[in-house]
Amino acid sequence: MMKVIVSACLAGDNCKYNGGKNITKEFSHGAQLAFEIVQKENPDLIILQSRSPSCGIKQIYDGTFSGTKIPGRGLFAELCIKAGYKVLDIEDFEEYLVNLRLVNLR
């Protein structure tokens, strides 16, 4: 059986940060704590939210809360990818399933 970790926001948790004071230190600490769970669980696949400053894989919001996106990875995504875990953007999930032949879109 495949072990999968899914980003909390994709599971329905409201974990979006909408601005205010600088919380970079806390944000980095949270990414590290989440990564420790990944190391403990050793999943086969990690599915993350697109564009999140924590979980984005291809691009992220720039942190100005203006909606501006920039190329790059979120803090948590970067930790997971550098450690060699298979990480998937939720926007690529359907294609991933098709490639596994679990879904027929025709």
Side-chain angles (χ1 to χ4, degrees):
M1 182 187 285
M2 180 181 249
K3 186 183 275 192
V4 179
I5 288 180
V6 178
S7 175
C9 60
L10 296 173
D13 285 354
N14 184 12
C15 48
K16 183 178 178 182
Y17 180 67
N18 290 319
K21 66 178 184 166
N22 186 335
I23 59 165
T24 302
K25 182 179 175 184
E26 294 88 347
F27 192 72
S28 296
H29 181 69
Q32 185 60 46
L33 290 175
F35 182 65
E36 289 172 11
I37 293 170
V38 166
Q39 291 176 305
K40 178 183 173 198
E41 295 297 327
N42 195 28
D44 300 301
L45 177 65
I46 302 168
I47 303 172
L48 300 176
Q49 175 67 320
S50 308
R51 296 173 294 282
S52 158
S54 178
C55 296
I57 296 171
K58 301 173 198 169
Q59 60 178 207
I60 56 174
Y61 288 107
D62 70 355
T64 63
F65 301 97
S66 65
T68 303
K69 293 171 262 187
I70 58 172
R73 295 181 179 147
L75 295 176
F76 176 67
E78 183 71 14
L79 290 171
C80 295
I81 291 167
K82 279 187 175 180
Y85 291 98
K86 177 155 182 60
V87 179
L88 185 67
D89 186 304
I90 189 61
E91 291 183 348
D92 298 325
F93 186 60
E94 188 174 295
E95 180 182 340
Y96 177 79
L97 293 177
V98 169
N99 289 336
L100 288 177
R101 299 184 192 274
L102 296 175
V103 172
N104 184 354
L105 295 178
R106 297 177 193 187

